[in-house]
Amino acid sequence: PWADGSSEPHRGSSGPDSSMRLLLALAAAVAPAAGLNLQMPALRGQTGLTDARFGGKKLVVVTGTSSGLGRKTAAALLRTGKYHVVGAVRDLDKMEVVAEVDGFDPDLFTPMHCELNSFASVRAFVDELKEWKAAKPVDRLICNAAVYQPSLPYAKWSENGHEQQMQINYLSHFLLTSLLLDDLAKAPGARCVFVGSVTGNDNTVGGGGVYPIADLKKLDGLKLGAKNPISMVDGYNFDGAKAYKDSKLCLMMTSNLLHDKYAKQTGIAFSSIYPGCIAESPLFREKRAWFRKYFPIFMKYITGGFVGEEEAGMRLFQVAHDPRCSKSGVYWSWNGGPREGRGEGALERDGQILGGGGAGGGWDSIYENDQSDKVLNKETAADLWKFSSLVTGAEWPGGNQPKSPCPTLKVVGAVAKAMNAQEEARRKAAGHAGSMPGQGLAGMAEADDTVGGGTAGAAGQAASGGAEAALGTNAAVSQPASTPARTRRGFRFWRRTGAPEEAEEAEEAPL
């Protein structure tokens, strides 16, 4: 019995339950001021489920594991026995076959449906992932999946009305990262890796010497929503090869901006990589037959930029696994030294020319590569972040830098805040002589924001005039419906019906 003789504490009593609630409330109030990131304890059932399912292994989410680079990366992660891999894929039937052929351990690999051609599907994937993993945080997020449509004379449109390459390669990964950022922050030593490309980095021959060159310009297309009929983020007419390169430039810039904003306060290591030119990738299936035949030979024996899928997968695995790659804000590449060994030497070594991005360098050939002025342009990156958030609906946490735990600061600070609010109200009422709302640079910025924020409506359509007819008809894509999970051959699959037929399978980057 309690002190008053009752068997249960009254509301507001000093019993154990109320004391615990008081302690928890006090801890929640004091922790932010002390710079601590306290988490409420997980439910006992969730903890038991987490221990049984993962057994201390790190949880890795990889997009595009049904083919190419993502497939080989997943295999490398699983071989260590230290990771549980969630493969986010569009085609679960294909993933089922690949998992069986490659011998993926069903206890360590879980395929889930994620159609990057749809923002709704990305959000549904995150919801399912969080429900399935319970209290287990995500330790690694690898944004790998991509499509490449260089030969198209017109744009293909996503379910949300955006050019497919830009949405699948960049916008959906941007949204995915925003939805999992808080979850990554809960894991010690978490990493977020974006598969970039030499084609998005124009300080190299591959990026600056091969037409067309990636260039976001002033982001005029993105500011108008980059929505049908606006196919390019720069606002110009459609160019399939450039759209791919622009999407990779966006990913690399986003990686840098995430590092600047969140690496210090969350402990997450953000990085991008160039694994080399995977010239024999199925990503090139839309290229002409002669190109698919001779391009690998050219890259292997002439330029030295060739790398096979297996080795490229090991490189992406390395950035997720190697302790040396826990550094944030890096663009990782591989080489074996200065370019040498062309001609007969290349034939004798089966194309093992040494150099940036080429094959044969090995585990220790990794290095921190330089990034171009375009990638490092902070002004353009800030606009890219702002308008990509508007287009995708991504929401990001605000700043959470440690503050002084001094109680005096809280009291004095509250008084100062109230006085400051009064002073600001007085100055605002007085205003500036001759000034009017909406004038000057601030008014221009507000107008710019209004256009960017209304991209789903008529702004983009009106600005483009009759461009829709020139670009072709927008492909109608139905909203996929959910169906219950199913289990086949030991793998548990999450399936949706009604996937867009014309959407391309998401795979790895070619360059």
Side-chain angles (χ1 to χ4, degrees):
W2 299 101
D4 62 358
S6 64
S7 59
E8 294 185 359
H10 295 298
R11 189 183 301 273
S13 74
S14 58
D17 285 352
S18 61
S19 299
M20 181 59 71
R21 285 195 295 269
L22 180 61
L23 286 173
L24 289 174
L26 193 60
V30 172
L36 301 176
N37 184 23
L38 299 180
Q39 300 292 333
M40 291 293 289
L43 296 177
R44 184 173 301 173
Q46 288 186 325
T47 303
L49 176 62
T50 299
D51 292 340
R53 178 169 290 164
F54 301 104
K57 295 179 176 60
K58 294 184 182 297
L59 178 59
V60 186
V61 174
V62 186
T63 61
T65 54
S66 62
S67 64
L69 178 58
R71 175 180 180 177
K72 299 302 181 181
T73 301
L77 288 163
L78 293 171
R79 280 196 297 267
T80 68
K82 297 180 179 180
Y83 300 96
H84 190 110
V85 178
V86 172
V89 296
R90 179 179 69 88
D91 190 338
L92 286 172
D93 287 328
K94 179 180 179 181
M95 185 71 255
E96 180 182 9
V97 173
V98 168
E100 185 174 359
V101 169
D102 290 0
F104 288 3
D105 186 343
D107 293 331
L108 300 179
F109 181 75
T110 302
M112 289 189 183
H113 180 267
C114 182
E115 171 58 89
L116 295 174
N117 212 39
S118 162
F119 295 146
S121 180
V122 173
R123 292 182 181 277
F125 163 75
V126 172
D127 290 342
E128 290 167 356
L129 172 68
K130 290 183 176 181
E131 180 182 358
W132 167 81
K133 70 182 182 61
K136 174 70 174 177
V138 175
D139 296 275
R140 304 285 189 270
L141 173 60
I142 301 178
C143 298
N144 157 76
V147 294
Y148 183 42
Q149 299 167 341
S151 303
L152 289 180
Y154 55 88
K156 285 186 177 180
W157 306 103
S158 72
E159 177 179 318
N160 303 102
H162 305 293
E163 193 273 325
Q164 280 189 2
Q165 293 175 98
M166 185 55 64
Q167 175 154 344
I168 292 172
N169 302 0
Y170 168 63
L171 289 173
S172 284
H173 282 123
F174 183 89
L175 176 61
L176 178 64
T177 305
S178 74
L179 295 171
L180 291 178
L181 187 66
D182 285 343
D183 208 81
L184 283 163
K186 298 175 185 177
R191 303 182 193 180
C192 181
V193 184
F194 297 89
V195 177
S197 172
V198 68
T199 63
N201 206 32
D202 69 356
N203 62 343
T204 62
V205 174
V210 180
Y211 173 84
I213 298 174
D215 191 349
L216 306 182
K217 300 190 183 298
K218 299 298 183 181
L219 294 169
D220 289 340
L222 185 61
K223 291 176 182 178
L224 291 173
K227 200 164 188 177
N228 187 4
I230 303 171
S231 58
M232 304 290 289
V233 294
D234 62 10
Y236 293 12
N237 288 334
F238 178 71
D239 184 314
K242 185 178 184 298
Y244 172 84
K245 296 180 179 183
D246 284 351
S247 71
K248 291 298 178 179
L249 173 56
C250 290
L251 283 173
M252 295 166 71
M253 295 174 73
T254 297
S255 176
N256 290 340
L257 205 55
L258 283 165
H259 163 74
D260 292 341
K261 284 178 172 286
Y262 299 116
K264 184 176 180 180
Q265 73 180 53
T266 65
I268 303 171
F270 300 96
S271 62
S272 58
I273 79 162
Y274 168 52
C277 180
I278 313 172
E280 293 178 336
S281 165
L283 198 64
F284 289 101
R285 62 183 175 272
E286 291 196 23
K287 299 293 287 185
R288 296 177 179 86
W290 66 266
F291 181 91
R292 296 196 301 271
K293 179 178 180 179
Y294 293 109
F295 181 62
I297 297 173
F298 176 77
M299 295 301 296
K300 194 170 188 178
Y301 297 103
I302 306 301
T303 69
F306 174 89
V307 63
E309 287 183 351
E310 192 75 35
E311 187 171 7
M314 285 299 298
R315 289 175 173 182
L316 183 49
F317 158 73
Q318 181 178 4
V319 176
H321 178 76
D322 192 336
R324 291 175 293 182
C325 299
S326 61
K327 183 177 180 180
S328 187
V330 177
Y331 169 50
W332 297 106
S333 295
W334 291 257
N335 67 32
R339 292 192 179 279
E340 57 186 30
R342 291 180 173 85
E344 294 183 2
L347 295 175
E348 293 172 359
R349 290 188 298 275
D350 193 28
Q352 296 299 306
I353 299 174
L354 303 179
W363 191 265
D364 291 327
S365 69
I366 191 170
Y367 70 99
E368 299 179 24
N369 203 349
D370 295 325
Q371 301 183 68
S372 69
D373 292 337
K374 289 177 183 175
V375 177
L376 298 174
N377 188 317
K378 292 187 179 296
E379 289 77 14
T380 303
D383 282 345
L384 177 67
W385 180 278
K386 174 181 177 180
F387 290 102
S388 296
S389 297
L390 288 171
V391 167
T392 62
E395 297 179 355
W396 302 91
N400 187 29
Q401 291 301 320
K403 299 176 179 62
S404 172
C406 177
T408 304
L409 175 62
K410 298 186 70 174
V411 176
V412 175
V415 175
K417 184 177 181 180
M419 295 176 63
N420 188 66
Q422 291 179 354
E423 175 63 15
E424 286 185 349
R426 183 189 65 80
R427 292 189 300 109
K428 184 177 181 181
H432 294 283
S435 67
M436 294 182 62
Q439 286 188 342
L441 295 178
M444 294 169 61
E446 290 177 3
D448 200 28
D449 288 348
T450 301
V451 173
T455 54
Q461 303 288 343
S464 303
E468 184 172 5
L471 290 174
T473 304
N474 182 19
V477 185
S478 60
Q479 179 77 7
S482 299
T483 57
R486 63 188 181 91
T487 303
R488 290 165 57 179
R489 297 193 179 122
F491 295 99
R492 186 168 179 80
F493 291 83
W494 277 257
R495 173 173 300 281
R496 280 181 178 76
T497 59
E501 294 184 358
E502 73 167 3
E504 302 294 332
E505 177 67 18
E507 295 171 358
E508 79 291 346
L511 295 174

